Amino acid sequence: MAHREPVVVTDEPTIGKLVVDASRDVSGLIQKEIALAKSELRVSVKAGGLSIGLFAGAAFLGLLAIIMLSVAIAHFISFTGLDLAWGFLIVFFLYVLLAGLLAFVGLKKVKKVRPPEKAIGQAKAIPGAFKGKS
């Protein structure tokens, strides 16, 4: 009869079990990180939406303030002896002049805009680099 070695049972996990446990833990960690990112984004989106609403309200009130200022300027002009209608026309032409000045300056700035020539040159060189050309 052949002599057999006794089988020793150890509590150490096998490599396969370790790999399965590690992949499960990594998967759970990634899922929890995604959930955390989603919750942070929800808070940021809510704050961003509220901010946009507040900016829109401020812009609307600013527009109303400009209208009221325009009416006040027209009335102050009418105190010089001109009719109120002339005061409103003067304010209107001041706004048209200001709009024309802003458009002129904006047009000069737009004409200075140039395409990104260095980036375009590098982008054109990329296909050659993949083909092994310098």
Side-chain angles (χ1 to χ4, degrees):
M1 205 172 204
H3 179 62
R4 293 189 184 177
E5 295 279 328
V7 178
V8 178
V9 178
T10 61
D11 291 335
E12 292 183 23
T14 64
I15 292 178
K17 176 142 176 45
L18 290 174
V19 169
V20 168
D21 289 346
S23 67
R24 184 185 64 233
D25 291 345
V26 168
S27 175
L29 180 63
I30 290 173
Q31 288 175 353
K32 296 226 187 304
E33 288 292 329
I34 291 172
L36 176 63
K38 284 180 181 179
S39 68
E40 286 178 355
L41 280 175
R42 276 190 210 106
V43 171
S44 294
V45 167
K46 285 180 185 177
L50 180 61
S51 300
I52 289 171
L54 292 173
F55 280 127
F60 177 71
L61 290 176
L63 179 64
L64 292 178
I66 289 172
I67 292 170
M68 292 303 295
L69 179 65
S70 301
V71 170
I73 291 171
H75 278 282
F76 283 133
I77 291 172
S78 72
F79 288 145
T80 63
L82 288 175
D83 191 38
L84 186 58
W86 285 109
F88 280 111
L89 273 175
I90 291 171
V91 170
F92 168 76
F93 284 118
L94 285 174
Y95 280 134
V96 168
L97 180 67
L98 181 63
L101 179 67
L102 291 174
F104 177 72
V105 171
L107 185 62
K108 285 183 72 170
K109 294 290 183 183
V110 165
K111 287 184 178 181
K112 290 182 180 179
V113 174
R114 299 282 179 239
E117 294 171 1
K118 289 182 182 178
I120 291 172
Q122 288 180 348
K124 287 181 180 178
I126 290 174
F130 282 124
K131 294 177 184 175
K133 299 176 184 176
S134 302

